[in-house]
Amino acid sequence: MDTGFASIKSDAQPWWFHGVAYQIYVRSFADANGDGIGDIDGIISRLDYLQDLGIDAIWLNPCYPSPQVDHGYDVADYLNIDAEYGDLDTFDRLIAAANERHIRVLMDIVPNHCSNQHRWFLDAVSAGPGSAEREWFWFRDGLGEDGSEPPNNWRAWFGGPAWTRVVEPNGQPGQWYLHLFTPEQPDLNWNHEPVAAAFDDILRFWWDRGVAGFRIDAPVVVGKTPGLPDAPPVPDGTLDTDIASQNPHIYHRPEVHELFRRWRTTADSYEVANPGRSLVFIGETFAPSIDLVASYVRPDELHSTFNFSLLLNNWEAHRWFESLLAASKLPEVRFTWTLNNHDAQRNVSRYGHADAALPSSYTGNNLVNSLLPVNVAVGTRRARAMAWLLAFLPGPIFLYAGEELGLPEVLDLPDSALQDPIFFRTDGRERGRDGCRVPLPWTSDPLTNYGFSLNTKPAQPWMPQPEIFAELAADFQHEDPTSVLNSYKTALQLRKQLPDAPMSVALVGDVLTIKRGNMVCITNFGVTAVSVSGVGTPVGSSSDSNEQLGVRMSCETTEWFLAG
Ligand code: BGC
């Protein structure tokens, strides 16, 4: 597509400066062997689709061997692939097939905790109190005369106490160990050098196989206040998932910077030893301020980090303006932008809530949000507008599989289908994140799980798919020039030609304007059309009807212009 504007990007910049990554929740993407669970051969079978979409990299959610208590975020072996998904040979084939299509493969690395089935933890339990093996984790004696009270009052992020007591090798109840997530995810002790050394080896193992970088899971909680003091009380009624978020003793401690510095040194020396390799670390760094988020992106720490402010925004123009304005004041930081991920309610549903201004929690899936009626048509129009806004931003952008199809959150999953530990550990007070993890529809054929399973007589998908998926299927959308899928493709193609210029932002009423060099992106958040004559030559629009391109913008639309 020749739009008449020229990109001035430099070849010297790494791909991720402007790159588009596509997040794959492996068990939900494509199922090659027909067992109802996505796998790596399934991903290989869909690489042409991804190339056609116009992405530069895929990020795989954890696919290491795991008991799947938290779907892979409970890693039992960091140096292998879960048999449900394939094996190391399958993984090597994926890397080769992806690289042939100029697609890099990013993995998810989980440093804060492993599975309670990892050899490190099993050894620690059997070695007993005071052993070197226990130093790998946070084992402490309990309080009270018989040690039956947990060592402090910390709560776990998924509900319940953050401590679980073990049975000692002598068969007696013994010490407690810390787990900020589920009891099956014991926290590793990053003050213990062998832990850090083990992870250096893990990183090199995957780089040697051709992995181009890592998304780092929950790194901001790796340090803990020495002495592990009690957390201050929280107001009654605080959501379980928010209680841990308010514990000042687990967040953003100096150990986080230490971990990043160590890993960056390891990556930099790997690049020197392996000319031609370019690696990237992108952190999942939730933080209360943008300055704190930005503090992790340094020449000797992370390459980039998620700026989650957009993911947390509902449909209110001023929120988007504030998020972007704050980032525009830090042009030296290449934030990674995203609208969706496997932990958040899908944006079509978030934007389509009857009360779209309702603040969402991180997962957006607490009971109140889940029960709100959703207008999918409105949500889809808004999600298209936000996709075009996202594609205009400087820095890497991440799409979450299915977002390019405009999939809504599946809000009516029966309780019997739910698998997220959040649902169980909050006694159902929070629905959890399963609704954004439902297997993708590739065709409108329900007999093959809507094309999710390549096999003709597959098992049921691991999470039930709604009938609405038939009309959202990828092959169906491929044929329709006005589909969400084709709108994404156009936006991503145009993105490649954007100038490498920082952004400036302005908000007038409900109209948000972002400028980068000679390019202008306008989003009309309002419910009435606005005049855009005089802005410049229209280049593309999120609207599925281009009748008045460059003259009037309909409600809830984004349009790009070459300034004239
Ligand atoms: C991941 C979640 C996971 C949690 C524990 C998060 O940051 O994105 O999916 O449950 O870390 O590993």
Side-chain angles (χ1 to χ4, degrees), residues 426-480:
T426 64
D427 293 326
R429 285 187 298 280
E430 299 185 43
R431 297 289 292 172
R433 304 158 292 179
D434 293 308
C436 67
R437 301 173 175 180
V438 175
L440 297 197
W442 293 94
T443 71
S444 38
D445 175 14
L447 295 179
T448 59
N449 301 329
Y450 300 105
F452 167 64
S453 299
L454 302 178
N455 201 298
T456 45
K457 284 198 181 147
Q460 294 289 313
W462 72 276
M463 185 60 64
Q465 300 161 297
E467 281 172 19
I468 190 188
F469 272 20
E471 54 201 72
L472 295 169
D475 68 343
F476 190 70
Q477 295 203 30
H478 182 72
E479 303 301 325
D480 172 5

Side-chain angles (χ1 to χ4, degrees), residues 70 73 113 158 181 185 215 217 284 342-343 433 437:
D70 187 18
Y73 286 96
H113 44 268
F158 292 160
F181 294 88
Q185 294 167 294
R215 174 262 191 188
D217 182 70
E284 187 207 18
H342 65 293
D343 291 327
R433 304 158 292 179
R437 301 173 175 180

Side-chain angles (χ1 to χ4, degrees), residues 359-378:
S360 83
S361 67
Y362 171 40
T363 68
N365 278 335
N366 64 64
L367 210 47
V368 181
N369 278 6
S370 314
L371 293 177
L372 280 175
V374 169
N375 184 328
V376 172
V378 169

